[in-house]
Amino acid sequence: MLVREVMTSPAITVSPDDAVRRAIRILHENDITAAPVVDAAGALVGVVSEMDLLRGEFEPDPRATALPPRPVVSSPPRLVADVMTRDVVTVTETTDAAVLVELMVDKRIKSVPVLRGDRVVGVVSRRDLLGMLARPDEELRADVLALLEEHFPGGTAWRVTVADGVVELAGHAGPDRDGIAELLARTVPGVVRVRHVDEPAG
């Protein structure tokens, strides 16, 4: 599965000159955990996350302790540019989703901007990936069958079953056609594994 098949597009973005409070409202209203930050020319200059926006926004509550809290002397950050992360992990539309998952795990990030050149064309989040894995087996089977029938219009030689995202192709049509069928099934978003079993097609 490629990133372009799972990303959310167009991406919801903010400007480095946006007020922090405006960025907070954008993330909250759109139920997202981060947003790419783009300049006036549309180029990516950073990303701002929930954690970035939370820093410095709350003063200590005097009810939480018996001792009076120390006064906060600094003002809260005003602009997105003051809190955004400038070193951004990105991917392209043709990045393998398996590579993306490794990046997200290694870097401990929840969403990644998708670039075409220096332009943001989408965002892919953990939620997007989970959404693909949550697709019902019946939908996956229908998509696999449609793809096989499109590439083998004379009729398919395989019985297709899907369980927990794992596709089984039963039957044989020769090594080349079997290999193509397996590759096609792997491209269906939400399919996690493809197995070829030796039992004859039903």
Side-chain angles (χ1 to χ4, degrees):
M1 181 170 62
L2 303 180
V3 162
R4 68 182 177 219
E5 296 167 324
V6 67
M7 70 183 187
T8 297
S9 181
I12 295 167
T13 63
V14 297
S15 162
D17 298 325
D18 280 338
V20 164
R21 284 291 171 145
R22 181 175 188 274
I24 288 171
R25 286 192 291 270
I26 288 173
L27 265 63
H28 179 71
E29 290 168 3
N30 290 281
D31 196 24
I32 55 178
T33 61
V37 184
V38 297
D39 63 17
L44 180 71
V45 294
V47 67
V48 67
S49 70
E50 294 168 317
M51 291 306 300
D52 295 327
L53 295 169
L54 284 172
R55 290 194 186 101
E57 288 298 312
F58 292 92
E59 281 193 322
D61 190 319
R63 298 170 299 176
T65 176
L67 298 174
R70 293 180 180 178
V72 178
V73 294
S74 60
S75 299
R78 291 182 53 251
L79 301 178
V80 167
D82 299 329
V83 298
M84 71 184 189
T85 300
R86 297 175 187 273
D87 185 16
V88 185
V89 176
T90 64
V91 293
T92 68
E93 296 163 280
T94 56
T95 299
D96 192 319
V99 173
L100 169 65
V101 170
E102 290 301 318
L103 273 175
M104 297 175 92
V105 171
D106 290 345
K107 303 291 185 181
R108 297 184 178 182
I109 49 180
K110 294 182 178 180
S111 62
V112 178
V114 183
L115 298 186
R116 185 185 300 154
D118 64 350
R119 303 291 169 151
V120 178
V121 294
V123 172
V124 62
S125 67
R126 294 180 189 177
R127 183 174 299 179
D128 293 326
L129 293 164
L130 286 174
M132 283 296 166
L133 295 178
R135 294 186 66 201
D137 290 335
E138 295 79 10
E139 282 186 16
L140 299 178
R141 181 176 183 274
D143 285 356
V144 171
L145 287 171
L147 202 53
L148 293 176
E149 289 166 2
E150 178 184 343
H151 284 78
F152 300 103
T156 62
W158 307 277
R159 180 170 57 82
V160 178
T161 58
V162 183
D164 295 329
V166 177
V167 175
E168 283 196 352
L169 301 174
H172 292 282
D176 291 343
R177 290 167 69 90
D178 287 349
I180 292 170
E182 291 180 29
L183 289 174
L184 290 172
R186 286 193 182 98
T187 68
V188 172
V191 168
V192 296
R193 297 287 186 279
V194 179
R195 292 200 294 248
H196 210 123
V197 295
D198 290 330
E199 66 181 86

